[in-house]
Amino acid sequence: MFKILEKQVFSPIIKLFVIDAPKVAKSCQAGQFIILRIHEEGERIPLTIADFDREKGTITIVFQEVGKTTKQLGAMEAGDYIKDFVGPLGEPTHIEDVDTVVCVGGGVGVAPVHPIARAFKEAGKHVIGIMGARNQELMFWEDKMRAACSELLVTTDDGSYVRKGFVTDVLKEVIESKGKDNIPLVVAIGPQPMMRAVCNMTKDYGIKTIVSLNALMVDGTGMCGCCRVSVGDETKFVCVDGPDFDGHQVNWAELSLRSAYFKAEEQKALERHECKCGCGGGK
Amino acid sequence: MAEQKAKKKIVPNKNPMPTQDALERARNFNEVALGYSEETVIAEAQRCLQCKNEPCRQGCPVEVDIPAFIKLAAEGDFDGAIKKIKEKNALPAVCGRVCPQENQCEKYCTLAKKHEAVGIGRIERFCADRELQKGVTLPEVAPPTGKKVAVVGSGPSGLTCASDLAKLGHEVTIFEALHVAGGVLMYGIPEFRLPKAVVQAEVENLKKLGVKIEVNSVVGKFTTVDQLMDEAGFDAVFIGTGAGLPYFMKIPGENACGVYSANEFLTRTNLMKAYQFPEWDTPIKIGKKVAVLGGGNVAMDGARTALRLGAEESWIVYRRSHDELPARKEEAEHAEEEGVKFAFLTSPVEILSNDEGWVTGMKCIKYELGEPDASGRRRPVPIEGSEFVMDVDTVVVAIGQGPNPLVPRTTKGLELNKKGNIVANLETGATSKPGVFAGGDVVTGAATVILAMGAGRTAAKSIHEYLTNK
Ligand SMILES: Cc1cc2nc3c(=O)[nH]c(=O)nc-3n(C[C@H](O)[C@H](O)[C@H](O)COP(=O)(O)OP(=O)(O)OC[C@H]3O[C@@H](n4cnc5c(N)ncnc54)[C@H](O)[C@@H]3O)c2cc1C
Ligand SMILES: Cc1cc2nc3c(=O)[nH]c(=O)nc-3n(C[C@H](O)[C@H](O)[C@H](O)COP(=O)(O)OP(=O)(O)OC[C@H]3O[C@@H](n4cnc5c(N)ncnc54)[C@H](O)[C@@H]3O)c2cc1C
Ligand code: SF4
Ligand code: SF4
Ligand code: FES
């Protein structure tokens, strides 16, 4: 059992937990993820390691409530226990030897991009951070990002905070102002459409772009193949070969179809979860 | 007993195994074979001729003293029988159910020459189940030796190795990647063939011997084999990580929705209990017509599972013919009785899908049997122009598995073969790395439960020697 030590509520649907998981904290690195299962009947869901403290033996996760399991998780409080928590999984982000890197976090993707930006900065790179959210309410960790980056640019889709525009708009301005030759690498993490849009744009500039894919998963150890994705001419398993990939090689259309695989079932689980009629769904 | 000395009257046929009705069971996940009653098991045991030369024993990879335990069972001494079995076999309730007996012990049974073999596995199962129900008497554990051994993986090889080492007084910790122990016995082999409660009962017994089981622990990730030895103070390591990496066909369309590896299909169903969705949270989704590619046990399990999940048609699509099916005979028969259909001499070349990415059909080509190949089986040869589209909407790929590379990749100085299997001496389990032993599917490639157990036992013996001389 893994204890929730701390809970922060960033918005009604975005929450942070600090979890007591010394085994994971001891060896994890930026870019890796965990899989958790709340209770015996629960699903195994992957979440990126947003921060860690090796001395305290803790792992921080930030998640957005999108379906049954994340909603159930969001309803838990500090002091509660999570049944299973396994990690670190996946390959760490490769900290490339570049002078400058732009780290783009969209929505809840700010959490996973944070340790990566920090790792680049600790390695002595110039890190330009771009973070965006739909509106001010959904914005979190501006302070932590500011500390993890050399410079930080913030935007909201609706203009309710700092400025109006998508992260791609900001990225374009950065590339245009600094010159594409001075931006050798972009790391982009967020919803699939955002990562895809970033890749479409950087492709035109010829800037290498690393994305962190969130394929559906079961075991997270390379055993089931559920997380497979086409990258270039090859089929890769996101959980062991990734989650980071060259975004220009990813078959986004296939990934998006595979992500919707269980849509009807997810809907059913959610409706049952939110049903208050006493059928047992609300547990 | 006097009457056994006299020339015995031969009973030609095995006592039939009571099973759930085929059409009924094809729609539920309860165990198919219900097990013998006490009366039947005694009758079956009495069929045994107590052959002096013990031919059956050579067929058992762990050399269970078959005549001896059957004699005890025939006398109704089931406590004695299970004790005898357990001298060699740590997981009899499992083996009695899933050993391919017709290729092993029962193949060599004297009776099998002219009649049906003695139901060795069935008798074994009865004795083991009876003991599990009664409560197992724990074997004696030697005084602590102060030596620590790490076992990586909790499949049959790891469980057996851990059990033997614990009995010898060593302090054993099993590290398992998943959230439960048991390996393929938990995530692969379906509930209707091997109830998970049986596996967990065995795991509980192991814990009572003092073995620590750390689930949610992926070696190669949170730690490495080298760190276990250098930092965590383990004196030796056994690697029993199995053959869990699913192979795909590498044909176009294989990443469509509705195409599962057998591992995913079975893991969702068995480990995550998707057949109880939405009471359990993990979903599985199948269409009306399911094609399972392959002809082994895994394929049979997939096809039979598909029926239970509600498929209208479930097909085994196999490149060779009926005679070459590598599955246990009983499994293929059970599948057929339940309504699984077979498309022999057929192999897919492309999977077709619609705009939503979901499978709509499978382009196949027909084969004919040619000359025997290296394995002695007639080689399938494609027939030109025989392409056709099979009308299916779900595909389960069960064409084999390789070793998971997580441990090999992160362990210094571990010799591997071309397929990525760990090279280990089959007589000792020793690998190229001192203090590191390996066995089971990770060494041999996908094999059987009993062979994996045998390998775990062999390694335990040499680990004990290694630790004693260290
Ligand atoms: C390596 C990895 C790291 C991730 N890190 C984070 C993270 O740090 N924070 C976070 O909030 N989420 C993260 N996710 C996504 C998270 O796993 C899913 O949101 C979660 O599994 C949804 O479960 P659910 O039962 O609440 O929703 P479901 O009912 O399963 O799904 C609801 C909706 O979410 C979509 N969805 C389901 N599973 C995933 C998935 N694996 N990835 C993307 N969308 C999905 C579905 O298509 C559906 O639209 C990560 C995913 C992966 C693979
Ligand atoms: C569907 C199916 C049906 C089968 N039917 C039969 C049958 O009827 N009869 C029969 O005799 N055999 C059958 N087999 C084969 C048999 O199950 C295997 O040969 C046997 O389980 C191999 O045992 P093992 O101990 O080598 O490994 P496994 O049972 O594969 O166990 C390996 C364990 O190691 C864990 N692991 C892997 N990597 C790591 C890591 N890095 N860190 C920690 N843990 C790790 C895995 O999660 C797993 O739990 C079947 C196999 C399958 C898949
Ligand atoms: S362990 Fe398997 S092969 Fe050996 S006697 Fe039992 S059923 Fe037969
Ligand atoms: S060969 Fe058959 S009949 Fe002879 S001892 Fe073995 S089980 Fe009994
Ligand atoms: S999640 Fe099973 S192989 Fe990646």
Side-chain angles (χ1 to χ4, degrees), chain A residues 163-190:
Chain A
R163 60 162 284 175
K164 185 176 158 76
F166 299 116
V167 287
T168 38
D169 298 331
V170 181
L171 178 61
K172 196 177 178 95
E173 288 165 20
V174 169
I175 297 171
E176 290 295 339
S177 69
K178 306 250 171 189
K180 69 178 166 61
D181 296 335
N182 297 318
I183 311 279
L185 182 67
V186 171
V187 178
I189 309 184

Side-chain angles (χ1 to χ4, degrees), chain B residues 56-57 59-66 69 85 88-89 91-92 94-106 119-122 124-125 449-450 453:
Chain B
C56 46
R57 231 182 141 172
C60 172
V62 294
E63 292 170 24
V64 167
D65 191 343
I66 298 168
F69 95 73
I85 295 170
K88 294 288 181 186
N89 181 349
L91 303 170
V94 175
C95 292
R97 286 177 167 81
V98 304
C99 263
Q101 287 104 4
E102 75 272 13
N103 293 324
Q104 299 183 352
C105 51
E106 295 181 17
I120 302 171
R122 296 173 180 182
E124 187 172 315
R125 164 178 169 177
V449 171
I450 188 71
M453 285 185 38

Side-chain angles (χ1 to χ4, degrees), chain B residues 47-51 54-56 66-67 70 108-111 118 120:
Chain B
R47 289 182 62 225
C48 170
L49 305 175
Q50 291 294 312
C51 313
E54 310 182 325
C56 46
I66 298 168
I70 293 189
Y108 296 90
C109 174
T110 311
L111 277 182
V118 173
I120 302 171

Side-chain angles (χ1 to χ4, degrees), chain A residues 2 23 26-27 32 37 39-44 68 72 84-91 218-219 221-226 228 230 235 237 254 257-258 261-262 265 268-269 272 283, chain B residues 177-179 187 214-218 221-222 231 244-246 248 254-261 263-264 267-268 272 277-285 355-358 404 406:
Chain A
F2 298 81
K23 219 150 82 177
K26 189 171 155 257
S27 55
Q32 292 187 295
R37 196 175 70 131
H39 54 77
E40 183 59 25
E41 292 83 22
E43 195 171 6
R44 295 169 62 100
K68 159 144 194 214
Q72 212 170 8
D84 297 296
F85 194 86
V86 56
L89 299 171
E91 287 294 311
V218 184
D219 61 304
T221 67
M223 182 268 274
C224 75
C226 171
R228 62 197 192 277
S230 298
T235 292
F237 288 4
E254 179 188 281
L257 291 172
R258 284 189 68 80
Y261 203 137
F262 294 105
E265 287 72 21
K268 187 167 162 194
R272 194 167 173 279
K283 68 169 181 184
Chain B
L178 294 172
H179 55 261
Y187 77 72
E214 295 203 16
V215 293
N216 296 319
S217 302
V218 187
K221 286 290 166 192
F222 83 98
E231 294 166 23
L245 179 81
F248 285 91
E254 213 171 13
N255 293 347
C257 299
V259 183
Y260 297 90
S261 76
N263 277 0
E264 181 184 353
T267 299
R268 280 183 183 273
M272 305 311 297
F277 179 85
E279 277 78 32
W280 289 63
D281 291 343
T282 305
I284 190 157
K285 182 157 157 178
D355 291 346
E356 275 137 47
W358 196 271
N404 188 310
L406 282 182

